[in-house]
Amino acid sequence: MATKKLARQLGLIRRKSVAPTNGNVGRSKSKQLFDYLIVIDFESTCWNDGKRHQSQEIIEFPAVLLSTSTGEIESEFHTYVQPQEHPILSEFCMELTGIKQAQVDEGVPLRICLSQFCKWIQKIQQQKKIIFATGISDLSNSEVKLCAFVTWSDWDLGVCLEYECKRKQLLKPVFLNSWIDLRVTYKIFYRRKPKGLSGALQEVGIEFLGREHSGLDDSRNTALLAWKMIRDGCLMKITRSLNKVWLSLACLQRKNYNDSAHDTQHHELLTTAKYSRNHLLRPLHLMSQASVTWVEFQDLHERTKFLQKFVWWTKEVTPIIQFGNRI
């Protein structure tokens, strides 16, 4: 009873909501948490020789800036990257991606690529007053415009870039630690599993433009899909974070958040800590004796109250969290 009472006090109560089906999707745009989305889709070294290769390297680094209010791609970044560990591309890789050996030979090392990318980010931040929210304090100024990264699956930022930076001892920009997995968002919103990016586009009536497995073309088409989902009423939210902060809850404190836009959507993420390296939800799961994965908030006050309780709880029960991580 004590654990249930604590879970109830923390607001960990599962509530059911009606998810949109294919034939019952809102046709008007919902008020978005993010004013801009930056879509990324890396291409990396790959082989088809039956062997397991642990060290894939990025060879194409594209990014497109999508406005969630107009659907326009307002800026793009693109460069080819020199692989250092496996400098010679396999025939399979060149055929799959369309990237030629000469293009990567003329490219830049990942370290320089990240530096160039950060300069591009700084430029659009200055031009469009964009910020990447990392906490409650970032949201106090209503004049700024929030931005989030979008990928098709967690592989690009959660696996490929993360491990390559670790292997090469490169400092990865902290703003690349949180993102929206559009594949997961698509599956939850439309209640069907997408058959790849091209298949997802076809299912919503969009033709893939360009060449599949071209990083830039994949990024542009992912942006098209994101815009279509926004027009259908999907609220874009952070689904994965490598940070120790719970970014999605911070974003939900934004003053101009429109609660009604979420009424028809299924599954409000409890917190991105669920996906963090600390796995903060694991001890919560053990304490409540239930699968506490999703929670539905009724209003902004309830969200704020929950955040305050959760912050207190994580500070007071740190030893339990550390124990839970070892289970």
Side-chain angles (χ1 to χ4, degrees), residues 33-287:
L33 298 172
F34 300 101
D35 301 282
Y36 286 96
L37 301 175
I38 296 179
V39 183
I40 286 178
D41 195 302
F42 301 138
E43 296 302 323
S44 72
T45 52
C46 53
W47 302 264
N48 191 28
D49 54 8
K51 300 179 183 179
R52 294 189 64 182
H53 296 266
Q54 302 294 337
S55 55
Q56 287 181 287
E57 297 174 274
I58 295 171
I59 56 176
E60 184 182 7
F61 195 124
V64 299
L65 178 69
L66 173 73
S67 168
T68 60
S69 60
T70 66
E72 296 293 325
I73 293 178
E74 298 188 4
S75 183
E76 292 184 343
F77 173 86
H78 181 261
T79 188
Y80 290 106
V81 184
Q82 278 183 6
Q84 306 292 308
E85 298 165 342
H86 302 282
I88 306 301
L89 301 182
S90 68
E91 291 293 331
F92 171 77
C93 182
M94 290 188 286
E95 182 177 347
L96 178 69
T97 64
I99 299 173
K100 302 183 184 303
Q101 183 66 48
Q103 290 175 303
V104 295
D105 289 343
E106 296 171 0
V108 297
L110 181 60
R111 177 180 58 84
I112 297 177
C113 171
L114 288 173
S115 176
Q116 293 175 346
F117 179 68
C118 286
K119 290 180 180 178
W120 176 73
I121 290 291
Q122 290 172 358
K123 181 180 177 181
I124 62 174
Q125 281 183 309
Q126 293 172 356
Q127 291 176 344
K128 304 180 185 299
K129 297 182 180 180
I130 288 174
I131 67 166
F132 300 95
T134 56
I136 298 295
S137 60
D138 293 337
L139 307 175
S140 57
N141 186 356
S142 60
E143 297 299 320
V144 298
K145 297 179 180 179
L146 287 180
C147 183
F149 289 91
V150 174
T151 61
W152 183 256
S153 85
D154 290 331
W155 177 84
D156 300 85
L157 295 177
V159 177
C160 187
L161 181 63
E162 176 75 6
Y163 288 105
E164 185 172 353
C165 286
K166 286 181 178 179
R167 290 196 315 272
K168 297 180 178 180
Q169 298 183 337
L170 301 177
L171 184 62
K172 187 182 71 172
V174 67
F175 51 73
L176 290 174
N177 280 343
S178 301
W179 63 91
I180 299 168
D181 179 350
L182 198 67
R183 184 172 65 177
V184 167
T185 305
Y186 180 99
K187 182 178 179 180
I188 292 173
F189 183 69
Y190 291 116
R191 300 191 69 179
R192 59 175 181 260
K193 186 176 180 180
K195 298 177 181 178
L197 175 59
S198 180
L201 286 165
Q202 290 179 1
E203 288 175 345
V204 295
I206 300 176
E207 182 181 355
F208 189 98
L209 301 177
R211 176 194 172 97
E212 290 188 52
H213 300 296
S214 158
L216 185 57
D217 287 343
D218 283 350
S219 298
R220 290 168 175 168
N221 282 277
T222 303
L224 286 176
L225 179 59
W227 174 238
K228 168 62 175 174
M229 293 172 64
I230 289 172
R231 285 186 291 136
D232 281 351
C234 180
L235 184 64
M236 295 294 168
K237 296 171 292 186
I238 298 295
T239 61
R240 180 76 187 269
S241 178
L242 302 178
N243 293 327
K244 295 181 181 180
V245 299
W246 28 93
L247 180 59
S248 66
L249 266 180
C251 291
L252 289 176
Q253 311 308 311
R254 192 176 184 185
K255 294 180 181 179
N256 62 349
Y257 176 73
N258 186 352
D259 290 289
S260 62
H262 180 68
D263 289 345
T264 60
Q265 231 176 301
H266 187 50
H267 294 332
E268 173 99 63
L269 279 178
L270 172 64
T271 167
T272 52
K274 170 179 180 281
Y275 300 99
S276 75
R277 288 174 290 189
N278 285 341
H279 300 296
L280 295 180
L281 282 191
R282 188 173 296 173
L284 288 178
H285 169 77
L286 296 175
M287 291 175 63

